Amino acid sequence: MSQAPQYNFAYLDEQTKRMVRRAILKAVALPGYQVPFASREMPLPYGWGTGGIQVTASILTPEDTLKVIDQGSDDTTNAVSIRRFFERTARVATTTRTSQASVIQTRHRIPEHPLTKDQILVFQVPMPEPLRFMEPRETETRAMHALEEYGVMHVKLYEDIARHGAIATSYNYPALVGGRYVMSPSPIPKFDNPKLHMSPALQLFGAGREKRIYALPPHTRVKSLDFEDHPFSVQHWDQACALCGARDTFLDEIVLDDAGRRMFVCSDSDYCGERRDNNAKAKNGPREAA
Amino acid sequence: MNFEPLLRVKDLTKFYGERPAVDRASLELWPGEVLGVVGESGSGKTTLLNMLAGRISPSQGRVLYRDEENWLDVHACPEAVRRRLARTQWGMVWQNPADGLRMNVSAGANIGERLMALGQRHYGSIRQAALSWLAKVEIPAERLDDPPLRFSGGMRQRLQIARNLVTGPRLVFMDEPTGGLDVSVQAKLLDLIRSLVTGLKLSVVMVTHDLAVARLLAQRLLVMKAGQVVESGLTDRVLDDPQHPYTQLLASSILQA
């Protein structure tokens, strides 16, 4: 792409980035607290990652290497279009390798590959307010956060157990941050909740439509809410990944044909590919370049 | 025994614009007492109740609540304290149960909410408490997992009472608790309230326009008209020997069955 720079670096103007960075700094200082910010119109629809893209644009430097995933995969529409957006407007290097990225924008997953202290994970958040389903009034939810009135969160979990015999909430599972704020970890599966806890990477959450930014600084305690007699647990599969054989990853169920055949594969396409490469190497020696 | 009042109110006034909705109301509420507040629509009963419960702030005057040994100014203390009181030592029963219940979550969760707000995190014991309270308010145990949306009006009102009493409050505010219920259901509910109130030694401030309800439940009455307390005293005295012309009118308007 050799076009003249028509946009400011990473699309947003510098004043906007300053404003977003201030919100991020405040969010980092108050882990789990939702900081309001003046969310801008972005050239993609609400719900496609307008919050995440503004956070990424504000923290990106020319030296960064960006990875974008959607449902764990690098090659779905949302991931491809956001990656191309930053290739064009910021001309940063992009990668699909988790270990090589310095900034990872994600929707619905945390990569399987453990993150390091040199990485920043940016989440796209549709609904930042964990109390919203129980309490529709914004004034009231703010007071509840301020006064740590989180009893209603357990009402929701109680209701789950009463109806389904177990806590049926399987994504966007509410968690208590640093013993203070209850946060909604964006619609990641609860499988990924333990990865939020004490992560060495900085984790930023951007909600564009709701105009909120919140953060988990590195090494923050994150406890998923539960009952003493119904403790938090993550999903397990009987199958291993049909492609790489992994048994410890989050699996997607893929329907193969109208006859109802299906397979389970890792949702993290990069992790799965890496494992398959390694398996092949271990079997056949170094794989030839394709 | 403690011979101090639970609630002490002096010259409580609320202005809406120029007009006072409540004009210099004073009262004392004693432990274990049911105080009825009667009067016609627009006389300021509900405004008074909301000020007592700390839900709207008065233009003048103070509401003092005895929290164990200390007197607490309900409207001067921080919101956190007020809200803690509201969900531990106080209860609030609304005329419309939908205002006091979560209509879409099960009866069990409605009763358990206060317990969970106080930090109980054991599903089994919360459920047990909910079951025992359902029994106390005469709702069949098999309705535990049904939402109040599927309850009748009388059941909803009883559920609302259970939800409030589960944390063992000392003081319950009731705003027309029997309004909108038919006569037989009303009688049953009154019976229940009366037995709970005496059994648990609750103090109650109850707003009602129904003098029959007031006569049945309240030991003392406060008669309000146009924002002012025009008469107060023992229920039987007020109703049998009304002094103020308005009370006389009110007492004579009871239909004799």
Side-chain angles (χ1 to χ4, degrees):
Chain A
M1 270 161 281
S2 58
Q3 62 199 87
Q6 296 163 15
Y7 293 111
N8 189 36
F9 175 75
Y11 185 76
L12 291 176
D13 64 273
E14 293 305 312
Q15 280 306 315
T16 298
K17 286 197 244 174
R18 272 167 62 102
M19 175 272 294
V20 176
R21 284 177 201 142
R22 280 200 199 106
I24 293 174
L25 285 175
K26 183 170 178 180
V28 169
L30 295 167
Y33 174 75
Q34 300 165 50
V35 182
F37 80 112
S39 176
R40 297 291 193 255
E41 289 279 327
M42 296 303 282
L44 77 167
Y46 285 133
W48 287 35
T50 51
I53 212 171
Q54 288 179 76
V55 171
T56 303
S58 305
I59 59 171
L60 220 50
T61 67
E63 293 77 39
D64 272 320
T65 307
L66 179 70
K67 170 183 163 84
V68 184
I69 51 174
D70 170 9
Q71 305 268 12
S73 167
D74 292 277
D75 40 20
T76 45
T77 316
N78 201 218
V80 171
S81 64
I82 293 176
R83 188 162 60 235
R84 283 216 324 171
F85 176 80
F86 283 116
E87 277 170 0
R88 283 196 190 165
T89 60
R91 294 161 186 259
V92 291
T94 55
T95 181
T96 58
R97 282 270 175 265
T98 303
S99 53
Q100 286 165 13
S102 57
V103 176
I104 304 171
Q105 182 171 334
T106 177
R107 170 175 180 260
H108 287 331
R109 278 308 309 277
I110 296 176
E112 305 285 359
H113 199 288
L115 301 174
T116 67
K117 67 178 175 56
D118 299 317
Q119 293 178 309
I120 301 177
L121 190 59
V122 178
F123 293 79
Q124 303 168 196
V125 182
M127 252 291 311
E129 180 52 75
L131 298 165
R132 183 65 72 234
F133 288 108
M134 301 307 289
E135 178 51 64
R137 288 168 297 176
E138 173 71 14
T139 47
E140 183 66 14
T141 53
R142 285 198 199 187
M144 289 160 87
H145 279 295
L147 301 172
E148 289 185 72
E149 282 184 8
Y150 291 132
V152 288
M153 293 311 301
H154 279 85
V155 172
K156 188 162 179 281
L157 300 181
Y158 173 99
E159 205 55 12
D160 263 9
I161 303 174
R163 282 193 195 169
H164 308 289
I167 298 178
T169 305
S170 60
Y171 67 95
N172 211 356
Y173 193 101
L176 183 66
V177 178
R180 178 58 182 84
Y181 287 103
V182 167
M183 83 161 194
S184 145
S186 91
I188 57 172
K190 68 177 176 182
F191 181 88
D192 285 342
N193 265 30
K195 295 183 199 161
L196 297 167
H197 177 64
M198 297 306 259
S199 167
L202 172 63
Q203 300 173 88
L204 303 175
F205 298 77
R209 177 175 40 207
E210 302 288 327
K211 301 179 170 54
R212 296 286 184 279
I213 286 174
Y214 50 107
L216 293 175
H219 306 289
T220 304
R221 283 179 292 124
V222 179
K223 189 185 178 305
S224 305
L225 302 181
D226 59 3
F227 285 102
E228 289 158 14
D229 45 349
H230 286 267
F232 173 80
S233 64
V234 299
Q235 297 101 324
H236 288 287
W237 289 264
D238 298 333
Q239 297 85 347
C241 169
L243 299 178
C244 75
R247 290 196 160 272
D248 55 352
T249 59
F250 188 85
L251 300 184
D252 280 342
E253 184 178 7
I254 298 175
V255 177
L256 296 176
D257 55 24
D258 289 347
R261 286 203 307 134
R262 54 199 61 209
M263 71 191 284
F264 286 86
V265 295
C266 294
S267 95
D268 186 337
S269 56
D270 166 61
Y271 185 79
C272 192
E274 197 174 3
R275 273 182 55 90
R276 270 179 286 154
D277 284 351
N278 291 342
N279 290 350
K281 270 181 212 159
K283 220 178 189 178
N284 309 330
R287 195 161 80 158
E288 286 166 32
Chain B
M1 279 310 286
N2 207 323
F3 294 104
E4 263 194 295
L6 200 58
L7 208 56
R8 202 172 247 166
V9 177
K10 191 94 185 92
D11 287 337
L12 205 59
T13 302
K14 178 71 186 178
F15 280 97
Y16 288 128
E18 292 287 293
R19 281 175 301 109
V22 174
D23 191 6
R24 286 161 294 164
S26 299
L27 63 94
E28 281 182 348
L29 181 74
W30 296 77
E33 177 186 46
V34 179
L35 177 69
V37 180
V38 297
E40 60 196 7
S41 303
S43 59
K45 308 181 299 265
T46 301
T47 303
L48 175 65
L49 189 78
N50 278 326
M51 283 195 284
L52 298 185
R55 305 182 67 91
I56 50 180
S57 51
S59 311
Q60 280 158 40
R62 294 202 298 172
V63 178
L64 297 175
Y65 169 73
R66 187 162 53 78
D67 179 14
E68 310 302 331
E69 289 311 305
N70 310 313
W71 284 96
L72 204 71
D73 186 334
V74 170
H75 293 280
C77 66
E79 192 183 358
V81 175
R82 200 156 52 230
R83 289 171 77 123
R84 182 180 56 74
L85 280 180
R87 64 169 189 265
T88 53
Q89 303 192 21
W90 296 354
M92 185 88 201
V93 177
W94 300 94
Q95 173 175 11
N96 179 1
D99 294 340
L101 292 171
R102 291 184 190 279
M103 297 303 281
N104 291 313
V105 305
S106 67
N110 265 296
I111 297 177
E113 178 172 347
R114 275 182 165 226
L115 297 175
M116 293 184 249
L118 291 183
Q120 280 207 27
R121 294 291 179 261
H122 193 279
Y123 174 81
S125 54
I126 292 169
R127 204 169 164 78
Q128 215 47 53
L131 266 175
S132 84
W133 268 100
L134 277 191
K136 280 181 205 164
V137 296
E138 296 162 20
I139 296 175
E142 68 262 22
R143 304 301 297 269
L144 181 65
D145 292 332
D146 287 347
L149 215 52
R150 288 195 228 137
F151 283 11
S152 70
M155 282 169 79
R156 287 180 189 179
Q157 202 54 285
R158 280 179 277 152
L159 180 63
Q160 196 189 179
I161 289 168
R163 171 184 160 91
N164 272 290
L165 297 188
V166 64
T167 49
R170 302 162 70 198
L171 173 57
V172 179
F173 301 99
M174 297 186 182
D175 188 2
E176 308 270 10
T178 57
L181 300 176
D182 68 52
V183 183
S184 63
V185 174
Q186 206 178 60
K188 219 174 145 194
L189 185 71
L190 287 174
D191 220 31
L192 177 76
I193 293 178
R194 193 157 58 165
S195 67
L196 285 175
V197 163
T198 42
L200 300 168
K201 298 193 169 53
L202 289 176
S203 302
V204 178
V205 181
M206 186 181 57
V207 161
T208 179
H209 63 265
D210 188 335
L211 290 183
V213 170
R215 163 125 33 197
L216 209 60
L217 286 180
Q219 286 112 32
R220 259 189 332 126
L221 272 193
L222 225 59
V223 183
M224 290 189 74
K225 177 161 170 44
Q228 289 179 332
V229 177
V230 293
E231 187 161 357
S232 68
L234 295 176
T235 303
D236 290 342
R237 206 281 292 151
V238 172
L239 293 181
D240 296 340
D241 179 20
Q243 304 290 311
H244 191 273
Y246 175 70
T247 319
Q248 291 168 357
L249 182 74
L250 211 59
S252 65
S253 65
I254 302 179
L255 291 175
Q256 303 298 325

